[in-house]
């Protein structure tokens, strides 16, 4: 064969059975295509092109968003321990190995796959972040930007693509952003859209050491306020829809002529039952706040006040179960010793 010999767009018909237009060199070899044949088809005038090192696009035009995603995963995924087979694969037999082991899409590309309206469209991204173990010996190249981690999270499968869960994807996206508005929009959408709770986001941001950046701190403050407002709305809905008696909302408790005991989100004075939403999030400077929270709860319980602790996640995922917990505490008040008298003030 010389350089003027035309190349078939698809030299082996059984490749069509894979329904893939992007494949790794290992996959092509498993289908009986030699390295030399692959290189010949990826010449500038050939029917294929090299998308990334060791990854071929089986057509001459620009790659689609899906092809870029699969190409990045093929490049970054852990290769098999040994070649599964060297004879051509049979149509319908499937791929010889799992090519995406230890790799998943993260960052802005992952948020786009999670359908974040605040994330740029996939085609507009110059690079695609892919999360890999720290021990992977690869470099970022082309559209593939490697993000290394000590421990991979459990991936979410979206249209056959392994994607980092929202909190991790947010942290990897925020690490690359300097626009305070963009950061705030992404974090707000994560909570407002029901993707995850603020605590999970702040935990990932803290783990990534991003809470020292002023524009991230400002966005987190807005995020926590947004998350608390949503949790309060869920608490109101729980009381209304589950037929609980109306409490006193957002009140401060004090001993008569004594010290301030702290604020609670809902309080039933006749039953001495309080509900407190735990909207705290793990941050670098909040150990003292956590200790103060625990002291307040212990003090109230010593006075005979039952404190029902509810997280926003529990309200979102098991509202009826949380209502049952509150109802049980209210019904059990008759079997307890009378609580100390406290003064209830609006908060």
């Amino acid at each position: 064969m010389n350089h003027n010999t035309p190349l078939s767009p698809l030299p082996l018909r059984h490749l069509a059975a894979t329904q893939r237009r992007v494949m790794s060199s290992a996959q092509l070899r498993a289908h009986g295509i030699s390295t030399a044949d692959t290189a010949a088809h990826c010449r500038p005038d050939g029917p294929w092109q090299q998308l990334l090192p060791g990854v071929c696009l089986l057509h001459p035009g620009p790659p689609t968003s899906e092809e870029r995603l699969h190409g990045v995963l093929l490049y970054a995924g852990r290769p098999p321990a040994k070649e599964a087979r060297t004879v051509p694969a049979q149509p319908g037999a499937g791929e010889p190995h799992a090519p995406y082991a230890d790799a998943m899409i993260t960052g802005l590309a992952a948020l786009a796959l999670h359908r974040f309206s605040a994330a740029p469209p996939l085609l507009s991204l110059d690079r695609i972040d892919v999360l890999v173990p720290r021990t992977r010996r690869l470099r970022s190249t082309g559209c593939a930007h490697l993000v290394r981690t000590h421990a991979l999270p459990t991936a979410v499968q979206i249209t056959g693509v392994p994607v980092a869960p929202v909190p991790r994807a947010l942290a990897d996206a925020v690490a690359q952003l300097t626009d305070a508005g963009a950061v705030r929009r992404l974090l707000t959408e994560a909570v407002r859209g029901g993707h995850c709770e603020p605590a999970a986001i702040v935990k990932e941001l803290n783990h990534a050491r991003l809470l020292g950046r002023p524009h991230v701190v400002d966005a987190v403050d807005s995020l926590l306020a947004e998350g608390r407002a949503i949790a309060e709305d869920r608490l109101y809905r729980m009381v209304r829809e589950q037929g609980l008696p109306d409490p006193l909302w957002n009140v401060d408790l004090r001993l008569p002529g004594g010290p301030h005991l702290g604020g609670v989100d809902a309080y039933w004075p006749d039953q001495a039952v309080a509900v407190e939403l735990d909207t705290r999030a793990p941050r670098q400077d909040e150990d003292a706040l956590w200790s103060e929270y625990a002291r307040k709860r212990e003090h109230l319980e010593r006075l005979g006040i039952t404190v029902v602790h509810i997280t926003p996640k529990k309200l979102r995922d098991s509202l009826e179960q949380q209502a049952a917990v509150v109802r049980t505490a209210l019904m059990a008040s008759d079997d307890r010793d009378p609580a100390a008298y406290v003064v209830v003030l609006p908060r």
Side-chain angles (χ1 to χ4, degrees):
M1 181 179 70
N2 57 44
H3 290 296
N4 296 322
T5 303
L7 294 171
S8 167
L10 197 63
L12 295 180
R13 291 184 178 275
H14 67 266
L15 276 184
T18 67
Q19 296 182 340
R20 289 277 184 88
R21 287 159 62 84
V22 57
M23 299 181 75
S24 69
S25 298
Q27 288 173 323
L28 290 170
R29 286 195 301 272
H31 282 281
I33 302 177
S34 69
T35 302
D37 285 340
T38 297
H41 281 75
C42 289
R43 292 202 315 262
D45 59 341
W48 296 355
Q49 55 186 305
Q50 182 173 289
L51 181 61
L52 289 164
V55 179
C56 295
L57 190 64
L58 307 188
H59 64 82
T64 65
S65 296
E66 182 180 9
E67 289 167 348
R68 293 176 77 216
L69 290 170
H70 285 287
V72 167
L73 288 166
L74 284 171
Y75 170 71
R78 176 172 50 82
K82 60 181 179 179
E83 193 68 32
R85 54 174 172 251
T86 57
V87 298
Q90 297 301 315
E95 296 302 332
H97 53 76
Y100 301 159
D102 289 348
M104 65 186 71
I105 302 299
T106 189
L108 289 173
L111 296 179
L113 289 168
H114 282 291
R115 299 186 179 278
F116 271 61
S117 61
L122 285 170
L123 275 178
S124 71
L125 295 175
D126 293 331
R127 69 182 192 186
I128 296 174
D129 294 330
V130 56
L131 195 60
V132 297
R134 189 170 294 275
T135 54
R136 286 290 282 124
R137 294 183 178 180
L138 284 176
R139 293 183 179 181
S140 297
T141 185
C143 63
H145 177 251
L146 271 62
V147 179
R148 303 181 188 277
T149 182
H150 288 291
L152 286 172
T154 301
V156 179
Q157 294 291 326
I158 302 178
T159 63
V161 175
V163 181
V166 168
R168 178 62 203 241
L170 277 170
D172 290 332
V174 168
Q176 310 297 327
L177 295 174
T178 58
D179 184 340
V183 171
R184 185 178 296 106
R185 286 190 294 273
L186 288 172
L187 299 189
T188 299
E189 183 174 353
V191 174
R192 192 175 292 173
H195 294 282
C196 56
E197 298 299 329
I201 299 172
V202 179
K203 179 180 179 180
E204 286 290 350
L205 294 176
N206 187 28
H207 183 72
R209 300 181 180 179
L210 297 172
L211 293 181
R213 301 182 183 183
H215 70 286
V216 176
V217 173
D218 292 343
V220 165
D221 289 341
S222 299
L223 169 74
L224 295 177
E226 178 81 16
R228 179 159 189 87
I230 292 173
E232 288 176 346
D233 286 342
R234 289 174 181 157
L235 182 60
Y236 298 150
R237 182 161 59 89
M238 181 191 78
V239 170
R240 182 177 65 253
E241 294 181 357
Q242 300 300 315
L244 296 173
D246 289 333
L248 301 174
W249 294 107
N250 295 317
V251 294
D252 276 324
L253 304 180
R254 293 179 181 271
L255 287 172
H260 175 242
L261 300 174
V264 294
D265 295 282
Y267 185 60
W268 289 263
D270 293 340
Q271 295 85 7
V273 172
V275 166
E276 183 156 28
L277 287 172
D278 182 6
T279 55
R280 299 167 302 152
R283 299 173 71 173
Q284 294 170 319
D285 57 350
E286 292 200 348
D287 287 345
L289 181 61
W290 285 34
S291 298
E292 179 61 28
Y293 171 86
R295 284 195 297 269
K296 180 183 73 173
R297 183 176 181 180
E298 291 172 1
H299 194 178
L300 290 175
E301 291 180 342
R302 283 198 302 269
L303 295 171
I305 298 173
T306 299
V307 180
V308 179
H309 174 265
I310 300 180
T311 64
K313 187 176 187 301
K314 289 178 179 178
L315 275 178
R316 183 188 69 182
D317 298 340
S318 56
L319 188 143
E320 292 185 3
Q321 181 180 349
Q322 302 312 305
V325 171
V326 174
R327 185 177 291 108
T328 300
L330 294 172
M331 295 173 61
S333 64
D334 292 337
D335 300 327
R336 300 194 308 266
D337 293 332
Y341 176 77
V342 296
V343 178
V344 181
L345 300 171
R347 184 163 58 171

